[in-house]
Amino acid sequence: MFDYIKGKISYISSKYIVIENQGVGYQVLCANPFLYQDVFGEETTIYTYHYVREDMMALYGFKSREERELFIQLLSVSGIGPKGGLAILASGKPESIIQAIDAENESYLTKFPGIGKKTARQIILDLKGKLDQTKTGLFNDHDVQNDGLDEALEALKALGYSDKEVKRVVPKLKDKDYTAEQYIKEALKLMLNG
């Protein structure tokens, strides 16, 4: 629902931060809220995941889209909820977690709070080989960092297009200098016209 919130950090607790944007303070749960102390009172960007369940609604915040993508992938594993996903992210670097999953390193994964052998094995079974895009950035198959293109590719994925469909148009778009909206329009034309 929300990709990110840009605003000033106005409060930091042991479980969450409050980021203020246009007079509204958003409570954002984080793996390690104290990582935001260096930007307290300054404008910053928090990448968010809006979690909705019958009995709960919460915003989870991350320093990068890649970290958020890893969190979302962890939520897809049976036995891991938001609390477990945050605990894993708080205790390890995303790159190390991905390497451990790909290397089937159960002992590394069982170091995280609430992760036993059975859950570690489930993480490996469900996510091994599926986290390559998270390692290098969600869709950064293109050579140059291009926020407009990245934003457009994420929007297309949110609209229901598969990774394969989206990646197929990247080579035709990466050399263009468009806004995110223009990239989306062009990508849709390319996908519809084959």
Side-chain angles (χ1 to χ4, degrees):
M1 181 173 216
F2 305 110
D3 186 49
Y4 63 87
I5 299 173
K6 187 179 276 191
K8 291 184 178 180
I9 306 290
S10 62
Y11 181 77
I12 299 174
S13 80
S14 61
K15 294 184 179 178
Y16 65 88
I17 61 170
V18 174
I19 184 168
E20 186 178 331
N21 178 294
Q22 297 189 8
V24 178
Y26 296 91
Q27 183 183 58
V28 182
L29 299 163
C30 301
N32 186 353
F34 298 109
L35 289 175
Y36 295 96
Q37 282 182 320
D38 59 332
V39 292
F40 185 83
E42 296 176 23
E43 186 162 296
T44 190
T45 300
I46 309 293
Y47 296 93
T48 58
Y49 175 73
H50 189 204
Y51 182 76
V52 180
R53 255 192 10 207
E54 189 175 299
D55 60 338
M56 175 186 174
M57 264 189 3
L59 269 181
Y60 291 89
F62 309 92
K63 285 226 172 219
S64 68
R65 286 183 169 115
E66 294 77 25
E67 187 180 30
R68 177 184 61 194
E69 182 62 24
L70 178 57
F71 176 76
I72 292 168
Q73 293 290 339
L74 288 168
L75 290 182
S76 73
V77 175
S78 176
I80 297 185
K83 197 172 182 182
L86 283 184
I88 291 170
L89 289 174
S91 305
K93 293 181 178 174
E95 302 83 25
S96 303
I97 297 166
I98 293 168
Q99 286 173 352
I101 292 168
D102 286 343
E104 298 188 29
N105 187 346
E106 283 182 45
S107 59
Y108 180 85
L109 296 172
T110 56
K111 291 190 302 187
F112 299 121
I115 305 297
K117 277 191 167 279
K118 184 179 176 186
T119 306
R121 193 76 213 134
Q122 191 66 48
I123 291 170
I124 292 166
L125 284 171
D126 289 356
L127 301 182
K128 183 180 177 187
K130 295 181 182 173
L131 299 172
D132 290 337
Q133 11 181 149
T134 306
K135 273 190 237 177
T136 56
L138 199 52
F139 291 104
N140 282 342
D141 289 351
H142 44 286
D143 307 317
V144 181
Q145 178 65 26
N146 183 332
D147 290 337
L149 180 55
D150 290 340
E151 189 178 327
L153 297 175
E154 286 190 38
L156 290 166
K157 185 145 181 349
L159 289 170
Y161 289 94
S162 71
D163 292 347
K164 187 177 177 182
E165 291 171 307
V166 172
K167 285 182 179 183
R168 197 169 44 229
V169 299
V170 169
K172 296 171 186 160
L173 297 174
K174 69 180 181 180
D175 297 326
K176 309 261 191 229
D177 187 24
Y178 288 160
T179 65
E181 188 177 317
Q182 290 169 320
Y183 278 121
I184 292 169
K185 286 179 182 177
E186 187 63 25
L188 289 170
K189 283 182 199 171
L190 291 168
M191 283 191 249
L192 292 174
N193 296 329

